[in-house]
Amino acid sequence: MAEDLPSGAPCAPASAADPAALAAAQHYPAGALYVVATPIGNRADITLRALHVLALADAVACEDTRHTAQLLRGYGLQRPLLALHEHNEVAAARGVVERLRAGQRVAYVSDAGTPGISDPGARLCAAVRAAGLRCVPVPGASSVTALLSVAGVSAEAVTFVGFLPPKGRARAEAWRHWAALPTGLVLLEAPHRIELLAAELGALGPRTLTVGRELTKQFEEIVTLPCAGLAAWLAAEPQRRRGEFTLLVHPPDTSAPHDGGALTPEARRVLALLLQELPPARAARLAAAITGAPRDALYAAATAEPSTR
């Protein structure tokens, strides 16, 4: 029987301090793009494999060369850097493809988190794959998975939205589309638009919301409250309007039965008419706007009975 470790004692094998030793079991082919996740706040969240790949790369493509140079220095690394961001991604991707064709290993990192998740990287990977070359994921930190892991909601019941359009009609139309879905919603928002998002979320009333602010950073906050309570929570402390936000709108509560007592005959009549022409989600949303009945109850009624279309 193994001897128990003293309480609080670290359990670190000798090889844990050597990223190369732990990562060496996997093949790292030349002429491949390595998509590397980096910390979203706490620099200790880098993976040993990410450090190995960054040290192995012939060049590191990145959103901001100054930011990435500082990040690499913190880990004792120095690599040639290539600027690749949302404004030059298509053109810069061609240069990366040429390097890969020449047999180089190129790593790509965004400013924080996993590239391609509301960060540049998707068009780069598309260009690499179109050229018949390999993209290798090196997973790690992500604000989306970080929040989902503590929210108590199954990811199977969640739709990833990311950032809404910044303003105007495009934002209003996008919000109407996403808010009508019967799933949970994962949203990302910048500090200068968080109050606008709070006003939009207020329309969902008592529906549950989990907010992650400054995840993994010194002033991290995670709170669960009704959607209608986000504006007041932000206003209670001025610093809460600062930092990066990841938000999970929980799926609608379907535990309460939505029977005839929840909907008036008029609401059911309007819903039945709309279902003759529209899918359940759109029919429920329009019926709610026309009759004032709860959209969740209308959607439950629309999906509980055979379609009349």
Side-chain angles (χ1 to χ4, degrees):
M1 180 175 180
E3 182 180 353
D4 290 338
L5 289 171
S7 177
C11 181
S15 60
D18 182 2
L22 291 174
Q26 182 160 350
H27 179 53
Y28 297 92
L33 174 71
Y34 293 84
V35 182
V36 181
T38 54
I40 58 177
N42 192 317
R43 289 192 179 183
D45 289 340
I46 193 78
T47 69
L48 296 179
R49 184 164 169 244
L51 292 175
H52 179 70
V53 168
L54 291 170
L56 189 67
D58 295 290
V60 176
C62 54
E63 274 193 272
D64 185 326
T65 55
R66 292 170 299 180
H67 173 87
T68 299
Q70 182 180 10
L71 179 72
L72 294 180
R73 281 197 300 270
Y75 301 124
L77 299 173
Q78 186 173 359
R79 309 305 300 150
L81 300 179
L82 312 172
L84 192 151
H85 45 74
E86 62 177 327
H87 302 297
N88 77 339
E89 188 171 358
V90 173
R94 291 194 288 267
V96 170
V97 167
E98 290 307 310
R99 285 175 175 266
L100 300 182
R101 284 177 171 155
Q104 293 189 17
R105 297 179 182 88
V106 177
Y108 179 69
V109 301
S110 57
D111 283 349
T114 302
I117 310 298
S118 291
D119 281 339
R123 287 181 288 183
L124 171 61
C125 288
V128 170
R129 291 189 176 280
L133 299 165
R134 185 172 175 183
C135 297
V136 179
V138 183
S142 166
S143 65
V144 174
T145 54
L147 187 66
L148 280 171
S149 71
V150 296
V153 173
S154 170
E156 296 175 356
V158 169
T159 299
F160 176 72
V161 177
F163 288 97
L164 292 167
K167 58 184 178 180
R169 182 176 178 180
R171 185 180 179 97
E173 290 180 351
W175 176 242
R176 281 196 295 270
H177 167 75
W178 294 118
L181 294 183
T183 67
L185 305 172
V186 176
L187 300 157
L188 306 177
E189 195 53 276
H192 61 282
R193 285 193 297 267
I194 190 60
E195 290 178 280
L196 171 60
L197 181 59
E200 293 162 337
L201 287 168
L204 299 182
R207 191 163 161 182
T208 303
L209 174 72
T210 296
V211 181
R213 188 184 77 86
E214 293 287 84
L215 290 172
T216 80
K217 299 177 184 177
Q218 182 178 1
F219 299 107
E220 173 185 89
E221 288 187 270
I222 300 173
V223 61
T224 297
L225 69 174
C227 285
L230 178 58
W233 182 80
L234 292 170
E237 297 288 346
Q239 74 270 15
R240 287 179 179 165
R241 294 189 289 271
R242 306 188 185 104
E244 300 298 323
F245 291 85
T246 306
L247 309 98
L248 170 63
V249 179
H250 292 223
D253 182 7
T254 58
S255 59
H258 296 297
D259 54 18
L263 297 175
T264 65
E266 175 64 9
R268 288 191 173 276
R269 186 185 72 81
V270 171
L271 178 63
L273 291 172
L274 291 171
L275 282 171
Q276 294 178 26
E277 304 293 337
L278 299 171
R282 290 189 62 193
R285 176 167 58 82
L286 289 175
I290 293 169
T291 67
R295 184 174 58 214
D296 292 350
L298 287 161
Y299 181 81
T303 55
E305 301 175 3
S307 173
T308 57
R309 294 181 65 186

